[in-house]
Amino acid sequence: MRSDSRVGFFEASVVRWLLLAVFLVILDQASKRLVINVLDPFTEIVVLPFFSVVYVLNPGAAFSFLADASGWQRWFFILISIIAAVVLIWMLRSRRNDRFVSLALSLILAGALGNLVDRLTLGAVIDFISLFWGDFHWPAFNFADSYISIGAAMLIIDGLFRNRVREKEHG
């Protein structure tokens, strides 16, 4: 029996990465529900001299891009998230033998789906992690945003460094 046996449309090796993404979405959603249940909107709890937990609803994208738009951006970002999820799943199928890239794609997929759930259910994304140093405040973010950032960084590393190693190995 092959180790990459088919599970419906997906091979078992792809299903593992999809299950990781589902687990990360659950973790993201659980953290956001905890914030909703504990804090009122715009409430901040300072945890460390550079870190606080704050409850912010962000109707925009990264760094509140388009947050001040009239509401159309919700549906735009929902559409973008769905398209991204389909493309990421297709990419997972095509790169299933590369664990590094598969992990990166799973992280980005989890982030896109985690924020998609917020947009579908609340009309905005829940952000709650606030980092700051003195008067400098990084825009609030969440686990899903972190997944996307880490996954994107991994893909950049793959493109810049790992591809060169593969090229040298293959001649």
Side-chain angles (χ1 to χ4, degrees), residues 67-130:
D68 295 332
S70 63
W72 62 267
Q73 75 276 22
R74 174 186 185 188
W75 304 106
F76 175 72
F77 291 130
I78 286 171
L79 179 63
I80 295 295
S81 297
I82 292 169
I83 292 169
V86 169
V87 169
L88 289 162
I89 291 168
W90 176 81
M91 291 174 72
L92 263 172
R93 290 190 70 220
S94 66
R95 297 291 298 267
R96 66 184 171 273
N97 295 325
D98 187 333
R99 288 183 175 188
F100 188 82
V101 171
S102 292
L103 176 58
L105 295 171
S106 294
L107 287 168
I108 297 170
L109 177 62
L113 293 176
N115 285 337
L116 174 63
V117 170
D118 288 1
R119 289 187 200 288
L120 289 170
T121 59
L122 303 170
V125 172
I126 299 168
D127 289 329
F128 62 91
I129 301 168
S130 177

Side-chain angles (χ1 to χ4, degrees), residues 157-170:
I157 289 168
D158 180 67
L160 291 176
F161 302 109
R162 293 184 72 232
N163 281 337
R164 290 183 186 161
V165 170
R166 281 190 290 266
E167 287 172 4
K168 285 181 183 178
E169 289 175 354
H170 298 294

